[in-house]
Amino acid sequence: MLIIPSFELENGVCTQCISGEPGTESLYTELQHKPEELIKLLRRENFKALHIIDKDSLIHGKEIDFGLIQKITSAVDIPVELHADFKSLTDCSLAFEAGLYRLVLSNELLADVECCREIIAEFKPSRICFAVIIESGNLYNEKLRNIFSPQELLENLQKSDAKRILIGTNESIYLHSDFDRSIFDIIANNHNIKFTLYGGINTPELLWEINSKKTVNIDSVIIGQAIFSNAFPCQKIWRLIEAELEK
């Protein structure tokens, strides 16, 4: 199973800051304000891919900063995917020109079967992912919630020829609550799609549990805040190494 670290971009900086050893606070604060350097650190820690959330476009309705995205993608040799408010084929083209490997689409675009098919046909299924975000058992996006249940949206995306879905809950992704195991029931019968789980995955035990779910097509997980707060034992080694290098 592929473990993908995630960070959020807002106003050009990462909203999370790594908790390091005493005396290294300035190092991680500086990296927080230089996401193109932060991704280099994550690469040195041997991560094989990166997930970025563009809060400026998703939450604040701003244009995607493709210049910043290109600085980030050009800093490393690993695939980078971006979850942003892509509204058209043109937005997707600009994103790939900025060096992204995969785009994560969400919001009302997911209801447009023909547009989704057009994007998939243009850029290949492996490079397009669709984000299904759930809140209290319903879809998080209000306009989608008035059209589909979570299961109906998954069925609609299959009609759009989607092959990969990112799925999580608003509570676990943005409010940092525990992982919601009801997601297993939602995706259990969707065997033609690969799933990436996101939100609330913050212990080694939970990773093992997810890895044991052989009846569903889960092949990757995205871990956000837990990476920055060193929730996994192996991270202690990296923080000690970085503290030594900082000297």
Side-chain angles (χ1 to χ4, degrees):
M1 180 177 294
L2 181 63
I3 297 175
I4 306 172
S6 169
F7 64 70
E8 302 170 356
L9 286 178
E10 190 170 24
N11 296 321
V13 304
C14 177
T15 62
Q16 304 109 313
C17 186
I18 293 172
S19 299
E21 294 296 299
T24 63
E25 292 84 359
S26 61
L27 166 66
Y28 298 114
T29 300
E30 183 176 353
L31 290 174
Q32 185 180 9
H33 288 79
K34 294 182 179 179
E36 68 275 14
E37 296 298 324
L38 174 59
I39 192 176
K40 290 181 183 179
L41 179 72
L42 295 173
R43 180 68 185 105
R44 288 197 298 271
E45 293 177 2
N46 206 33
F47 287 107
K48 308 297 186 184
L50 177 77
H51 178 85
I52 299 174
I53 299 175
D54 179 20
K55 293 183 73 173
D56 285 329
S57 70
L58 287 168
I59 296 177
H60 305 303
K62 297 181 180 179
E63 295 295 321
I64 302 169
D65 187 346
F66 292 114
L68 176 58
I69 297 303
Q70 188 161 26
K71 287 177 64 177
I72 294 172
T73 59
S74 62
V76 290
D77 59 351
I78 57 174
V80 179
E81 66 181 26
L82 176 66
H83 183 191
D85 192 17
F86 300 103
K87 292 183 169 64
S88 66
L89 192 66
T90 299
D91 279 352
C92 295
S93 295
L94 291 171
F96 283 120
E97 288 173 10
L100 290 162
Y101 173 76
R102 180 179 288 144
L103 311 185
V104 181
L105 281 55
S106 60
N107 297 335
E108 295 87 273
L109 184 64
L110 274 60
D112 190 335
V113 171
E114 290 308 314
C115 184
C116 290
R117 278 181 175 163
E118 183 181 6
I119 291 171
I120 290 172
E122 180 72 19
F123 303 112
K124 299 182 181 179
S126 62
R127 304 194 70 183
I128 301 296
C129 177
F130 298 88
V132 176
I133 310 301
I134 299 166
E135 183 177 51
S136 301
N138 298 306
L139 293 171
Y140 173 65
N141 181 275
E142 183 177 359
K143 291 183 179 179
L144 284 177
R145 186 166 63 241
N146 292 331
I147 304 172
F148 303 113
S149 68
Q151 189 60 52
E152 288 169 341
L153 178 58
L154 290 174
E155 293 170 359
N156 199 62
L157 289 172
Q158 288 193 68
K159 294 176 184 176
S160 304
D161 301 324
K163 299 300 181 185
R164 176 166 296 280
I165 302 292
L166 180 156
I167 189 165
T169 66
N170 177 62
E171 294 89 346
S172 62
I173 295 173
Y174 298 112
L175 304 179
H176 307 302
S177 66
D178 292 338
F179 177 75
D180 189 341
R181 287 170 173 78
S182 67
I183 287 175
F184 292 139
D185 297 327
I186 294 172
I187 66 179
N189 297 316
N190 292 274
H191 298 294
N192 296 321
I193 292 180
K194 294 292 185 182
F195 286 94
T196 299
L197 302 186
Y198 188 24
I201 302 167
N202 52 22
T203 66
E205 292 78 13
L206 181 53
L207 279 177
W208 281 113
E209 178 186 346
I210 292 170
N211 193 52
S212 70
K213 298 291 181 179
K214 304 299 185 183
T215 58
V216 292
N217 292 333
I218 303 167
D219 66 0
S220 51
V221 297
I222 294 173
I223 302 178
Q225 183 56 41
I227 293 291
F228 290 83
S229 57
N230 308 314
F232 300 92
C234 61
Q235 293 182 279
K236 179 69 172 181
I237 298 172
W238 290 112
R239 300 298 167 250
L240 290 171
I241 291 172
E242 288 153 10
E244 186 64 25
L245 290 175
E246 178 68 2
K247 291 180 182 179

